[in-house]
PDB file of all heavy atoms in Angstrom:
ATOM      1  N   TYR A 587       4.313  -6.638 -15.192  1.00  0.00           N
ATOM      2  CA  TYR A 587       4.222  -5.733 -14.020  1.00  0.00           C
ATOM      3  C   TYR A 587       4.637  -6.486 -12.759  1.00  0.00           C
ATOM      4  O   TYR A 587       5.389  -5.965 -11.943  1.00  0.00           O
ATOM      5  CB  TYR A 587       2.791  -5.233 -13.920  1.00  0.00           C
ATOM      6  CG  TYR A 587       2.497  -4.191 -12.876  1.00  0.00           C
ATOM      7  CD1 TYR A 587       2.262  -2.879 -13.216  1.00  0.00           C
ATOM      8  CD2 TYR A 587       2.464  -4.538 -11.526  1.00  0.00           C
ATOM      9  CE1 TYR A 587       1.955  -1.910 -12.275  1.00  0.00           C
ATOM     10  CE2 TYR A 587       2.171  -3.584 -10.539  1.00  0.00           C
ATOM     11  CZ  TYR A 587       1.935  -2.266 -10.914  1.00  0.00           C
ATOM     12  OH  TYR A 587       1.665  -1.318  -9.977  1.00  0.00           O
ATOM     13  N   ALA A 588       4.109  -7.707 -12.631  1.00  0.00           N
ATOM     14  CA  ALA A 588       4.463  -8.496 -11.450  1.00  0.00           C
ATOM     15  C   ALA A 588       5.959  -8.826 -11.414  1.00  0.00           C
ATOM     16  O   ALA A 588       6.545  -8.983 -10.343  1.00  0.00           O
ATOM     17  CB  ALA A 588       3.622  -9.797 -11.412  1.00  0.00           C
ATOM     18  N   ALA A 589       6.584  -8.947 -12.565  1.00  0.00           N
ATOM     19  CA  ALA A 589       8.037  -9.218 -12.614  1.00  0.00           C
ATOM     20  C   ALA A 589       8.825  -8.167 -11.845  1.00  0.00           C
ATOM     21  O   ALA A 589       9.845  -8.429 -11.244  1.00  0.00           O
ATOM     22  CB  ALA A 589       8.518  -9.303 -14.061  1.00  0.00           C
ATOM     23  N   GLY A 590       8.321  -6.943 -11.884  1.00  0.00           N
ATOM     24  CA  GLY A 590       9.024  -5.869 -11.158  1.00  0.00           C
ATOM     25  C   GLY A 590       8.436  -5.562  -9.795  1.00  0.00           C
ATOM     26  O   GLY A 590       9.188  -5.188  -8.889  1.00  0.00           O
ATOM     27  N   TRP A 591       7.133  -5.763  -9.605  1.00  0.00           N
ATOM     28  CA  TRP A 591       6.498  -5.232  -8.394  1.00  0.00           C
ATOM     29  C   TRP A 591       5.643  -6.262  -7.666  1.00  0.00           C
ATOM     30  O   TRP A 591       4.756  -5.942  -6.901  1.00  0.00           O
ATOM     31  CB  TRP A 591       5.676  -3.984  -8.667  1.00  0.00           C
ATOM     32  CG  TRP A 591       6.589  -2.861  -9.057  1.00  0.00           C
ATOM     33  CD1 TRP A 591       7.206  -1.974  -8.225  1.00  0.00           C
ATOM     34  CD2 TRP A 591       7.065  -2.545 -10.368  1.00  0.00           C
ATOM     35  NE1 TRP A 591       8.028  -1.133  -8.900  1.00  0.00           N
ATOM     36  CE2 TRP A 591       7.991  -1.435 -10.240  1.00  0.00           C
ATOM     37  CE3 TRP A 591       6.840  -3.064 -11.652  1.00  0.00           C
ATOM     38  CZ2 TRP A 591       8.624  -0.887 -11.340  1.00  0.00           C
ATOM     39  CZ3 TRP A 591       7.451  -2.522 -12.708  1.00  0.00           C
ATOM     40  CH2 TRP A 591       8.361  -1.422 -12.568  1.00  0.00           C
ATOM     41  N   ASP A 592       5.983  -7.554  -7.844  1.00  0.00           N
ATOM     42  CA  ASP A 592       5.385  -8.596  -7.035  1.00  0.00           C
ATOM     43  C   ASP A 592       6.218  -8.744  -5.751  1.00  0.00           C
ATOM     44  O   ASP A 592       5.788  -8.430  -4.638  1.00  0.00           O
ATOM     45  CB  ASP A 592       5.319  -9.928  -7.768  1.00  0.00           C
ATOM     46  CG  ASP A 592       4.728 -11.039  -6.965  1.00  0.00           C
ATOM     47  OD1 ASP A 592       4.096 -10.756  -5.926  1.00  0.00           O
ATOM     48  OD2 ASP A 592       4.912 -12.229  -7.293  1.00  0.00           O
ATOM     49  N   LEU A 593       7.475  -9.146  -5.909  1.00  0.00           N
ATOM     50  CA  LEU A 593       8.392  -9.249  -4.805  1.00  0.00           C
ATOM     51  C   LEU A 593       9.454  -8.148  -4.836  1.00  0.00           C
ATOM     52  O   LEU A 593      10.198  -7.943  -3.896  1.00  0.00           O
ATOM     53  CB  LEU A 593       9.095 -10.591  -4.807  1.00  0.00           C
ATOM     54  CG  LEU A 593       9.535 -11.192  -3.460  1.00  0.00           C
ATOM     55  CD1 LEU A 593       8.419 -11.246  -2.468  1.00  0.00           C
ATOM     56  CD2 LEU A 593      10.139 -12.582  -3.699  1.00  0.00           C
ATOM     57  N   GLY A 594       9.525  -7.454  -5.962  1.00  0.00           N
ATOM     58  CA  GLY A 594      10.565  -6.468  -6.208  1.00  0.00           C
ATOM     59  C   GLY A 594      11.696  -7.079  -6.978  1.00  0.00           C
ATOM     60  O   GLY A 594      12.080  -8.209  -6.738  1.00  0.00           O
ATOM     61  N   ALA A 595      12.239  -6.342  -7.971  1.00  0.00           N
ATOM     62  CA  ALA A 595      13.355  -6.861  -8.733  1.00  0.00           C
ATOM     63  C   ALA A 595      14.607  -6.847  -7.896  1.00  0.00           C
ATOM     64  O   ALA A 595      14.761  -6.024  -6.990  1.00  0.00           O
ATOM     65  CB  ALA A 595      13.557  -6.009  -9.980  1.00  0.00           C
ATOM     66  N   ALA A 596      15.537  -7.752  -8.231  1.00  0.00           N
ATOM     67  CA  ALA A 596      16.767  -7.913  -7.421  1.00  0.00           C
ATOM     68  C   ALA A 596      17.769  -6.814  -7.738  1.00  0.00           C
ATOM     69  O   ALA A 596      18.597  -6.482  -6.885  1.00  0.00           O
ATOM     70  CB  ALA A 596      17.374  -9.262  -7.706  1.00  0.00           C
ATOM     71  N   THR A 597      17.729  -6.201  -8.938  1.00  0.00           N
ATOM     72  CA  THR A 597      18.691  -5.220  -9.306  1.00  0.00           C
ATOM     73  C   THR A 597      17.991  -4.034  -9.992  1.00  0.00           C
ATOM     74  O   THR A 597      16.913  -4.205 -10.563  1.00  0.00           O
ATOM     75  CB  THR A 597      19.765  -5.750 -10.291  1.00  0.00           C
ATOM     76  OG1 THR A 597      19.121  -6.134 -11.545  1.00  0.00           O
ATOM     77  CG2 THR A 597      20.496  -6.984  -9.691  1.00  0.00           C
ATOM     78  N   LEU A 598      18.624  -2.894  -9.956  1.00  0.00           N
ATOM     79  CA  LEU A 598      18.047  -1.711 -10.653  1.00  0.00           C
ATOM     80  C   LEU A 598      17.964  -1.898 -12.162  1.00  0.00           C
ATOM     81  O   LEU A 598      16.956  -1.517 -12.778  1.00  0.00           O
ATOM     82  CB  LEU A 598      18.848  -0.467 -10.287  1.00  0.00           C
ATOM     83  CG  LEU A 598      18.607   0.061  -8.873  1.00  0.00           C
ATOM     84  CD1 LEU A 598      19.561   1.197  -8.561  1.00  0.00           C
ATOM     85  CD2 LEU A 598      17.133   0.572  -8.798  1.00  0.00           C
TER      86      LEU A 598
END
Side-chain angles (χ1 to χ4, degrees):
Y587 185 108
W591 291 273
D592 180 16
L593 208 55
T597 65
L598 285 173

